Amino acid sequence: LPPITVSARENIARITTSLKENPTNAALWAALGLERKGIEDYEGSKEAFEYALALSPYNAVVADNLGVLYGYYLNDPKKAEEYSRKALDLEPQTAYRYLRLFEFYLYVLKDSAKAKAILEQGVNANPGDPGLKALLKQL
């Protein structure tokens, strides 16, 4: 692990103290997940995010964070796709989630067919988004 900055250590301590008082606060668990990711404690981050999602199963942001964590840091493409798709299912009108999954398919999995398919899905769900359309035309 990299050296932990004082601010990261203080943030983690503050969040942990708050969690002792509010153990079912999903936002605090998500914040802990972000802090742990920031210090490259990916297992601790995963545990915090998964607990946050268990407490708040309709939270697309936490699902998306898990998708990124599994896809780029924990090297588990199956879980990455599962959580990224869950985030999309929860918020299909959030265009950047399609972009994030597109990049994962294209650059991590090297699967251009899946990358194109997710962009097409994003354009269908967000017909007014010019960015997704432009990207699709470039493929």
Side-chain angles (χ1 to χ4, degrees), residues 22-43:
N22 303 293
T24 59
N25 185 317
L28 287 172
W29 284 104
L32 183 61
L34 288 173
E35 289 293 332
R36 293 244 175 244
K37 181 177 175 244
I39 62 167
E40 298 178 21
D41 175 8
Y42 302 128
E43 280 298 317

Side-chain angles (χ1 to χ4, degrees), residues 118-133:
I118 201 63
L119 276 185
E120 289 170 344
Q121 184 181 341
V123 168
N124 288 335
N126 301 276
D129 187 277
L132 294 175
K133 285 181 184 176

Side-chain angles (χ1 to χ4, degrees), residues 3 17 23 27 54 66 70 101 125 129:
T17 298
L66 279 163
Y70 274 108
L101 194 50
D129 187 277

Side-chain angles (χ1 to χ4, degrees), residues 12-56:
I12 289 169
R14 180 181 46 77
I15 293 166
T16 302
T17 298
S18 295
L19 280 170
K20 288 176 183 170
E21 298 165 9
N22 303 293
T24 59
N25 185 317
L28 287 172
W29 284 104
L32 183 61
L34 288 173
E35 289 293 332
R36 293 244 175 244
K37 181 177 175 244
I39 62 167
E40 298 178 21
D41 175 8
Y42 302 128
E43 280 298 317
S45 178
K46 173 189 73 124
E47 290 171 6
F49 281 140
E50 286 182 343
Y51 197 69
L53 193 60
L55 292 170
S56 183

Side-chain angles (χ1 to χ4, degrees), residues 11-138:
N11 288 343
I12 289 169
R14 180 181 46 77
I15 293 166
T16 302
T17 298
S18 295
L19 280 170
K20 288 176 183 170
E21 298 165 9
N22 303 293
T24 59
N25 185 317
L28 287 172
W29 284 104
L32 183 61
L34 288 173
E35 289 293 332
R36 293 244 175 244
K37 181 177 175 244
I39 62 167
E40 298 178 21
D41 175 8
Y42 302 128
E43 280 298 317
S45 178
K46 173 189 73 124
E47 290 171 6
F49 281 140
E50 286 182 343
Y51 197 69
L53 193 60
L55 292 170
S56 183
Y58 301 105
N59 190 322
V61 173
V62 173
D64 193 53
N65 282 331
L66 279 163
V68 169
L69 191 66
Y70 274 108
Y72 294 94
Y73 301 95
L74 296 174
N75 300 313
D76 187 335
K78 185 178 178 190
K79 286 270 195 187
E81 184 176 22
E82 174 188 327
Y83 282 114
S84 294
R85 287 207 166 269
K86 179 176 178 66
L88 279 176
D89 289 345
L90 291 170
E91 288 184 359
Q93 275 67 46
T94 305
Y96 79 85
R97 296 199 199 292
Y98 295 92
L99 177 61
R100 190 183 318 261
L101 194 50
F102 162 79
E103 290 173 340
F104 173 72
Y105 285 148
L106 193 63
Y107 301 121
V108 177
L109 295 185
K110 312 261 191 260
D111 188 332
S112 57
K114 276 189 170 185
K116 183 177 181 182
I118 201 63
L119 276 185
E120 289 170 344
Q121 184 181 341
V123 168
N124 288 335
N126 301 276
D129 187 277
L132 294 175
K133 285 181 184 176
L135 196 54
L136 188 56
K137 284 182 183 176
Q138 292 177 5

